[in-house]
Amino acid sequence: MMKKFRKWLIDRFLPRWAYESLLEELTAANKKQEELRQTVERQQCYISGLEYALRHMTPTVVVESHEKETKEKAG
């Protein structure tokens, strides 16, 4: 119902040039929104890959004090 009323209101009271410019702006905004949606989707994939890699990494533990003691005993 509101969609029909909105269409009637625009068709009835909005000048033709304003209607056309409104459509152009809407098209540009939709294109920009689609580009941003694709960017967000690509970044989400990147983030998911990093999270997966970090979850499945083998933790590396370096104990420096043990290495120093071994070098001191050997030297």
Side-chain angles (χ1 to χ4, degrees), residues 2 5-6 9-10 12 18 21 27-28 32-33 36 41 55 57 63 67 70-71 74:
M2 288 302 290
F5 177 70
R6 182 177 174 268
L9 192 63
I10 288 173
R12 176 88 172 148
S21 69
T27 304
K32 182 69 175 176
Q33 181 184 15
L36 291 174
E41 185 177 330
R55 252 193 322 268
M57 273 179 51
V63 181
E67 292 174 3
T70 307
K71 288 180 184 177

Side-chain angles (χ1 to χ4, degrees), residues 2-36:
M2 288 302 290
K3 216 177 212 185
K4 288 181 182 179
F5 177 70
R6 182 177 174 268
K7 183 174 175 16
W8 174 82
L9 192 63
I10 288 173
D11 289 343
R12 176 88 172 148
F13 295 106
L14 200 62
R16 191 70 190 163
W17 61 269
Y19 177 73
E20 291 172 359
S21 69
L22 181 66
L23 288 179
E24 290 172 3
E25 290 174 9
L26 183 60
T27 304
N30 285 340
K31 183 179 177 185
K32 182 69 175 176
Q33 181 184 15
E34 180 63 25
E35 290 173 1
L36 291 174

Side-chain angles (χ1 to χ4, degrees), residues 32-48:
K32 182 69 175 176
Q33 181 184 15
E34 180 63 25
E35 290 173 1
L36 291 174
R37 188 193 62 74
Q38 289 175 355
T39 302
V40 167
E41 185 177 330
R42 192 176 324 113
Q43 289 175 347
Q44 286 291 353
C45 290
Y46 179 72
I47 290 169
S48 296

